[in-house]
Amino acid sequence: FTPDGFYRTGDIGRLDADGFLYLVGRKAEIIKTSTGRRVSPAAVEAVYGQSPYIDQVVVFGHGRKNLVALIAPKPAALAEVGGAEGPAVRDLLRRELDRLGPALAAHEQVHAFAVLPEPLSVAAGELTPTLKLRRNRIAARYQSVLDGLYQE
């Protein structure tokens, strides 16, 4: 409990002008960039998740200058580019990130991304049974991909 009697949940929230509380993430998941900025990955993922072409997006960047993401496209993204994978899907996803990015602060925008070969799953241990991201496991599995994104 806090000194004033509130229960510490580990959630991070914000109050709007009308006094409504919005939960924006968990304290344990906050990314601190090398420039000292603190970013809620869940809030960033929610913005990019609005795309009709993005099925799953996971943001990383702790200790790094910029954020990067791993993205699983929706089947609609593949259908739009004729079922092709590769550059056509990457171009479509880049346009979506550029379209949605202005809703975020500059330090919250994804600068580089990789397309996942398959969606994240419970069976692979990347999601909990309630479909929450297991960020540490995802980062471990795709560490070489994430490292490569910072080389671009």
Side-chain angles (χ1 to χ4, degrees):
F1 286 91
T2 64
D4 52 354
F6 288 95
Y7 181 67
R8 293 181 199 260
T9 65
D11 293 311
I12 295 177
R14 68 172 177 82
L15 291 172
D16 70 6
D18 296 322
F20 288 97
L21 174 65
Y22 293 88
L23 297 178
V24 296
R26 303 273 306 148
K27 186 175 181 182
E29 291 183 349
I30 294 298
I31 293 171
K32 184 177 178 187
T33 66
S34 64
T35 60
R37 299 287 195 145
R38 296 185 190 278
V39 178
S40 169
V44 173
E45 292 159 357
V47 169
Y48 289 123
Q50 295 173 31
S51 169
Y53 303 112
I54 295 175
D55 185 26
Q56 298 168 320
V57 59
V58 188
V59 175
F60 298 93
H62 188 72
R64 304 287 193 139
K65 185 176 178 183
N66 299 312
L67 299 183
V68 298
L70 299 175
I71 299 174
K74 286 186 179 177
L78 299 175
E80 178 134 335
V81 293
E85 294 188 19
V89 171
R90 285 191 54 79
D91 290 345
L92 177 64
L93 294 175
R94 172 46 63 199
R95 287 193 306 271
E96 283 298 286
L97 294 179
D98 292 345
R99 180 180 69 83
L100 295 166
L104 299 164
H107 68 275
E108 295 175 318
Q109 294 177 17
V110 168
H111 288 264
F113 71 95
V115 179
L116 290 170
E118 58 196 22
L120 302 172
S121 69
V122 174
E126 301 153 333
L127 301 174
T128 68
T130 58
L131 304 182
K132 292 184 177 124
L133 298 170
R134 288 187 165 154
R135 293 180 190 281
N136 291 340
R137 289 190 186 178
I138 297 167
R141 179 172 180 191
Y142 294 102
Q143 190 62 55
S144 63
V145 174
L146 293 169
D147 290 340
L149 291 173
Y150 286 104
Q151 303 303 319
E152 294 180 359

